[in-house]
Amino acid sequence: MRGKMDGRPSQSASAALAAALASAKLSPPRTLECDEIDRTRLHDHFKLASQTLVTSIIAPAGYGKTTILRRWYDRARDAGLETAWFSLDETDDDPVTFTRYLVRAISQASPQISDKLRNVVDIGLDLNTRATAVAITNALETLSAPVMVFVDDFHFVKADDTLEIISAIINAGTRQLRLVLASRARLPLKLAKLRTTGSLLEVRANDLQFSEAEARAFIAHECPRFNDPVLIDRVIHKTEGWPTGLKLAVLAIRDNPEIAEHHLLSGSERRLSAYVHEEVISSLPPRLATFVSETALLGEFSAALANQVLDLSDSAKLLDEARKRQVFLFPLTEPGWYRYHSIISDASSEEIAQRAPERKSEIHLKAAAWLDRNGLLERALHQLQMADRPDKMAELLDRRAEDLLQSGNGATLLRYSRLLPETLVFACPGLQLERAYAATLAWQFSTAQHILRAVAASLAKQSTDLVADDLVGTKSLAENQRKLIHRRLQLDILMDDMPNALRHGQAWQSAIGDVSPFDDAVTRTSIIYAKRELLDCASVGEATIAREIFETHGRRWATVWHDSIIGACYIQMGELDRAETIFRQALATATRVVSRISPTAAMPALHLAEVLFERNACAESRDLVDAYLPLATETGVVDQLVSGFLIKARLAAEVSVDESLSILSEGEKIGYVRGFDRLIAFINAERARLLSANGGAAVLRKLAAKNGWQSDIDHLKPRTGMTTADAANAYAAGHVAIVDNRLGEAETLLHRWSTFLDERGFATYAIRMLLALAHVQILQGETTAAQRTIMRSVQLAARGGHLRSFANANPAVRSAIAMM
């Protein structure tokens, strides 16, 4: 009842509206050029385009790009080709929005691959450009015949991530795509490879302009009674083959030849805008002219939106009249929705901005409010941008920032925040804290640190200046101070600073101030994670509380992150069955909520690869690593990189130790770039194992000298407060001591660590330490002790089904196992 009383549409109505706006872009508009005009040159270009990977149609506004695209689209359909259409506007530059529409267009054209792309369409999180390109390319390769995709107004695409998606797709060389891009500007894509291979067809303005014969045929068709040869020659000369200029001139001639003659254009876009205003809009009845000018500011709109924004009740009637008068108004696929040609929109915006700037701002502000109420946040923000109201943009972002973050759309928050003046953004501590969180999730750590320092200083000043009885201010201050701790916690987690993460997590739990259930669940999981990396899995049983909070509040994507952390706990505890179940469940959730090929899915997928490798299911493990490791280097947690690079290296070692070491070097580079010390530690530990077992003593000694493992290694002995990275460093140092024949030191270090880990329930690490210890004991001639150590490792492995840890043990240990 409340929704009806306050005039807000129901959730289903908002969903229907969003669907209408989406589908409107996926069908070509009706064009004004008649089909009777023979344009043989462009027909020949179509034949080439239907056989070429990428066709670019580049020309200034008004050269008939949309018309040609529509003709080619119809010809492709008539020829039995699978065809897709995608019209762009200013709101589609965001990579997530662009990907949704592109994939929906392809899916409509080729239903046979819609299932493969459905999860990309339904993406709810920030996407990864490489993941998106891989998913789309792989799906296209399953087609039996190419799909021809027409993209109109590509000049609206400027975001680097969006351009990277398109570049990656076309440079993948897929055989089942024919991409036709129409743009006013040169395509900012990587096209050199396509040019050299003959995979690029370029159509330019001189290809699109009307020849004299085509212009005469057009005039004769549109104005059969107009037969003044002198004026016809003048029209053709002054329009210079410019299709829209010719169309507008013919329209003016048809209504008033004398006026048209004095207002013919030479072809500049500035004059086109003037002509649109003077000869199209001004020629309409005053009320309709005002309606066209003002609705043209909105982009896509409906009668309902026009009524709301313009305070009208008869917008539907005015729309019908505008359609009859052919004022470049295009009906969209969904009934009741329309858009003007961009020429009309540009001219109207310029004219109103000069004549009545306050009216232009008012229209955009009303549209933004309506779009916001209907759940179309990005379009609302765009309207506020057009209104030049950064204050309103900041207000809307501040109000909706937490929702954007919790729904996994941090990239949207970052994108629109960057449009605001820094002074304005920093005046909103809540918005800044969400920006910091979004930057953290995107591994933009320096940005997040800068924001958090600024917010901390602002809150400290606010606390000092606060009037004692300002209860509202006190409440707001406390909430922001507590949220600041939470954002620092998340920065610690993603930067893999677990001691500080645990400190901030516990401080957050004891702080005052209201909290969201989401932040509560994230903190609970983060504390479990931090403790695990501090070699304490005792609190893993509390994980169900956090997961239930995520589930209850509809944050399914967050359960993927949660499950990846908890599953990794069970790997270390040696419970591989339980870990595998958790990871498979998380991967299924990621597939449903985000996309199967995405950075979110990479988190459980790479852990699952580790479990499968340990169980000797190498083929499936390799498939997962190949598909997901490239997606794990831009967001997520360090866990996935550790699992991914170690398993990829171990799989490669089956064929080539050098290849395995090369893979480890790749991971090390990422570790140094991102500052991930744990990743570096585990890579070094794996290097030490490989080099020790394969005659690489000299290289291993250099590695040891670099990391301080050759001399006194007492500082590596286990003690409270050490991390899993310390355990990895100790494992590496033990192997260095072996090749240096410091067997007593190696035995002491490895024995203490295996006992320490076993006591804390870290079975998987303990198994590897015990197998290294058995190797030392064999070298010392302590056969009985080695057998006892091996038996202990077998007992720890029995419940989890560990296999590869034994297969990857030193050859001497494997021989001892075979003889037992």
Side-chain angles (χ1 to χ4, degrees), residues 304-371:
L305 174 57
N307 280 338
Q308 179 72 25
V309 172
L310 305 182
D311 297 320
L312 299 174
S313 60
D314 61 345
S315 291
K317 181 179 178 180
L318 290 168
L319 279 168
D320 286 340
E321 186 176 355
R323 290 181 63 189
K324 291 176 182 178
R325 289 177 176 268
Q326 297 185 348
V327 289
F328 299 95
L329 179 67
F330 304 132
L332 303 178
T333 303
E334 290 299 313
W337 282 87
Y338 302 85
R339 70 174 177 88
Y340 294 97
H341 191 287
S342 59
I343 293 172
I344 303 293
S345 297
D346 293 345
S348 298
S349 180
E350 179 182 349
E351 189 275 331
I352 295 178
Q354 293 178 357
R355 173 177 54 82
E358 69 288 347
R359 178 59 176 162
K360 180 177 182 295
S361 178
E362 178 187 6
I363 289 171
H364 287 305
L365 289 174
K366 285 186 174 182
W370 189 88
L371 291 165

Side-chain angles (χ1 to χ4, degrees), residues 61-63 219 231-253 257-280 328 343-344 347:
Y63 268 78
I219 293 172
L231 187 53
I232 290 175
D233 287 343
R234 196 168 295 170
V235 169
I236 294 172
H237 172 72
K238 286 191 174 289
T239 55
E240 301 176 12
W242 183 22
T244 295
L246 183 63
K247 294 173 190 176
L248 293 174
V250 168
L251 179 62
I253 290 170
E258 290 75 19
I259 293 178
E261 182 176 359
H262 293 293
H263 291 276
L264 296 177
L265 306 178
S266 62
S268 73
E269 191 167 350
R270 179 183 61 80
R271 292 185 179 181
L272 174 62
S273 297
Y275 191 86
V276 167
H277 172 63
E278 294 173 11
E279 299 300 333
V280 178
F328 299 95
I343 293 172
I344 303 293

